[in-house]
Amino acid sequence: MTSLSPRSLQLFRAPGQATWSPALFAKMLGLSEPDLAIALEIPERVIRLQPDDASVQKKLGSLADLFDRLLELNPDAATAARHMKNIRIRVLANRTLLEAVKDNESEKALRYLKSISGGQSG
């Protein structure tokens, strides 16, 4: 995982908490927590009852890294959220960034975002 920017920390961690909040991610992405669990292939009971679980935190951390990169491209959080869950990307086998995280390919998605921020076409 890349270093965490204050942006994702402010958006996806409850004040005073050291872990990512599934509820805050779900809210930003316009999903229910059960839908977020489905989108990330995490059992709903785990995301609801054990949000500090290492597998949950790893996927949420990957989402935060991608979200921060999207915010570097366009600082509007709502636009970044729509892009993350709705825009299919050819170099990611026509998957969304959210689907890439689900498939444990967040590093590939980060490389894509870095390449477009450097001026290459995606």
Side-chain angles (χ1 to χ4, degrees):
M1 205 174 333
T2 62
S3 63
L4 305 173
S5 81
R7 191 84 184 218
S8 64
L9 292 174
Q10 293 166 351
L11 291 170
F12 303 122
R13 287 197 179 169
Q17 296 297 310
T19 58
W20 300 113
S21 168
L24 292 174
F25 274 98
K27 182 178 178 182
M28 177 60 68
L29 295 173
L31 301 170
S32 66
E33 283 187 65
D35 287 341
L36 179 64
I38 290 167
L40 295 176
E41 290 187 336
I42 298 170
E44 182 183 343
R45 66 176 169 63
V46 174
I47 209 166
R48 186 172 36 86
L49 299 174
Q50 299 171 313
D52 297 343
D53 179 83
S55 65
V56 173
Q57 289 300 303
K58 182 179 179 183
K59 287 208 176 182
L60 295 179
S62 293
L63 279 178
D65 288 343
L66 289 171
F67 205 86
D68 283 338
R69 181 57 74 166
L70 285 170
L71 289 173
E72 290 173 11
L73 296 169
N74 181 341
D76 180 61
T79 299
R82 280 191 305 276
H83 187 87
M84 180 167 277
K85 73 176 199 177
N86 295 325
I87 303 299
R88 298 204 169 275
I89 301 167
R90 182 177 39 93
V91 298
L92 296 177
N94 287 316
R95 293 175 297 165
T96 66
L97 294 170
L98 187 59
E99 290 168 335
V101 171
K102 173 193 73 165
D103 295 338
N104 295 313
E105 292 193 4
S106 58
E107 289 301 319
K108 186 175 184 177
L110 271 173
R111 282 193 306 272
Y112 163 75
L113 291 176
K114 288 177 184 177
S115 73
I116 64 169
S117 68
Q120 296 179 14
S121 64

